[in-house]
Structures are given as structure tokens and as C-alpha cells.
Amino acid sequence: MAQSRQLLFNTCVLLCFLVVISVMTTIFVVVSPEIHTPHVYFPYQLPSFSSGLGNESMPAVCSYLSTPQQPGKSGFYIKENGVLSTKKFLVQSVGYSPTPIGKEPTDFFGFRYSYLYENDLKVIRAMGANTIRLWQWNFMEDHTSFFQALVNNNLYALIPFAMDRSLYPDLTDSNVRRQILLDFTTFVEKTVDSPNVMGYLIGNELNTEYQGFMDYLFPIVNQMVEIVEQKDVNRTCPHLTLLPLSNSNFQLLVEAYNNEVSFSGWALQIYEPDLMPALLNYTLATKYRPLPLLLTEFGADAFDYPTGTVL
């Protein structure tokens, strides 16, 4: 039990509270016109902002690694005015993809769609979340009104960079790799000064999308991390850069590449009723370089296949 508690303390977990309904394969966040703010304990109480997107900013969320002098340090921390919080920042997040009826999920975060997200963000904050995790993002769109809504509701956002075979089919092609880096540079430049961007998510489960090409994928991601660090030269710490991976071969990848990657932490998407085996294996695999871990998707099937019953 003590080992389990220590494991959970040393692992910064992103809990995705997905409250959804499905109509014609469309995903909605369930909202209510009247909702009372619950009593929620936050490990770090975020300051309150109401306006002035260009003049006010949320404190940066930074990634740190343990050292022999500071064991157990690995995790995410708030850093404000050059001062690092003594408490780890617990990311409490909602996976958010507002989609009108009859539409396919895409980037609905422009000013034309503020009617979709403005009330949703209030409800998401009221339920106790401090971050939203997005799946669709067109970096050529104007997202000023969306970032202002985040400021108004004291919410961070994890912004996705679209990357798959339809966009970048062959990682062994130097021209494709060059285009990835050019596109990612533009993507970062569009959001680097937005105060509520906690960090960037590179693709979605690319270990299945580019299966067999990990020796090409991880070096590209390291180059993308360098781009973020260059653009963040005047920031208190670089934005988080994460690579959300499926659980299919996650453990093997951590064991093989943990000492070579330069991103802010590993990001796992797992659908298992018992997380402890995965977390324990992760702790063992990162013993000598304990990178923080975020769960960028999490769920458990309510149907028990062996017995044919609903749990």
C-alpha cells in the first residue's frame, strides 16, 4: 500500500473527465444553464482573471526531473515571477471537442463558434477542472476569442498539432520530416504568446499510426521540442511538449527510448479498469530518469466480456 501511495504521489496524472452524450456520432459536453460551483480542493489555487488577454497571464506550468539531491521531484509545477511552487501541480482536465449537430468534429474554437464554448468553459471550470485537452486545432485560424474565454475562466489548454499519415505519409522521407518541422514552427508561433496554453500534444497515438518507424519518430519529436524551447526563450520555462501514445506497446517504448527523449514527460492513453500495473511498470522503467507521466485519455469498459455482464 505504501508503494502504491508513493507511486501515485510521484506520478502526475491527467484525469480526463469526459461527460458526453452521443447523437449521430456527435460528441457534446453536457452543460446546464444553471449550475452551482462545488467546493473543490485544488493543490494550487489559480489566480482570478477577467479581462486583458495581452496584459494578464496565467502562471507557467513547468516540468522538472528528480535529481540525487532532490529525489521525488519529478512532476509538473507552477512557476510564477521566477518562483517555483513547492507543491506539484495536479492536472485535472476535461477532454473537450464541441461539435454542432450534423457536423464532423473539427476546430470549432474560432470567434464564430463562441456560442459553443463560452458557457461550456464556465461549467468545466465549475466542475473542478483546471485544464482542457483538445483534439482538433487549425493553427491558421484566429483563436483570440477562445483564448480570452480561457483567461476569463482560469483554464489552461493542451493544444494538439495534427500529425498522421494523411498529412505526413513517410517519416523516412527527409522532405516529409522537413515539412513537419516547418509546419510545427508555424503552429508554435501562432500560440506561443497565448497565456493559457499549457503545452502542445504532438499527434495522437502515433505509435500505432507510424508503427515500425519509432526510430524516425522520436528524433523528429526531439527536434520539435528544440523548436518550442527556442520560441520560449523569454518565457519562465518552456511550454510542455508531449507525445500522446496508446497503451499497445507503451511499456516497450518507455524502456527503449526513455533515456533518449527530450520532451516534458510521457503521455499515455489507456482504457483499463486497473491502472496500477501500468503505473508500476512505468515507475520501474523510468527508475533512473523519472520523467513525469500524464494520462491524456483514460477510461474503463463497463461491459465485462468474460461474464457478459455490465459492471
Side-chain angles (χ1 to χ4, degrees), residues 23-28 99-105 108:
V23 179
M24 298 176 63
T25 70
T26 303
I27 303 300
F28 301 83
T99 307
I101 295 174
K103 300 289 186 180
E104 291 295 321
F108 288 108

Side-chain angles (χ1 to χ4, degrees), residues 4-65:
S4 299
R5 287 196 298 269
Q6 186 64 34
L7 170 64
L8 293 174
F9 178 77
N10 289 334
T11 304
C12 183
V13 178
L14 170 63
L15 300 177
C16 288
F17 302 107
L18 285 170
V19 184
V20 300
I21 58 175
S22 178
V23 179
M24 298 176 63
T25 70
T26 303
I27 303 300
F28 301 83
V29 171
V30 178
V31 299
S32 170
E34 297 182 3
I35 186 168
H36 299 285
T37 303
H39 295 287
V40 180
Y41 167 74
F42 290 97
Y44 181 90
Q45 186 61 46
L46 298 178
S48 178
F49 301 109
S50 59
S51 63
L53 184 60
N55 300 319
E56 299 173 320
S57 64
M58 301 276 283
V61 177
C62 307
S63 173
Y64 281 87
L65 287 178

Side-chain angles (χ1 to χ4, degrees), residues 91-111:
V91 181
Q92 301 174 123
S93 180
V94 167
Y96 182 52
S97 181
T99 307
I101 295 174
K103 300 289 186 180
E104 291 295 321
T106 187
D107 182 338
F108 288 108
F109 302 108
F111 72 93

Side-chain angles (χ1 to χ4, degrees), residues 62-74:
C62 307
S63 173
Y64 281 87
L65 287 178
S66 298
T67 64
Q69 295 75 30
Q70 293 181 306
K73 179 74 172 179
S74 289

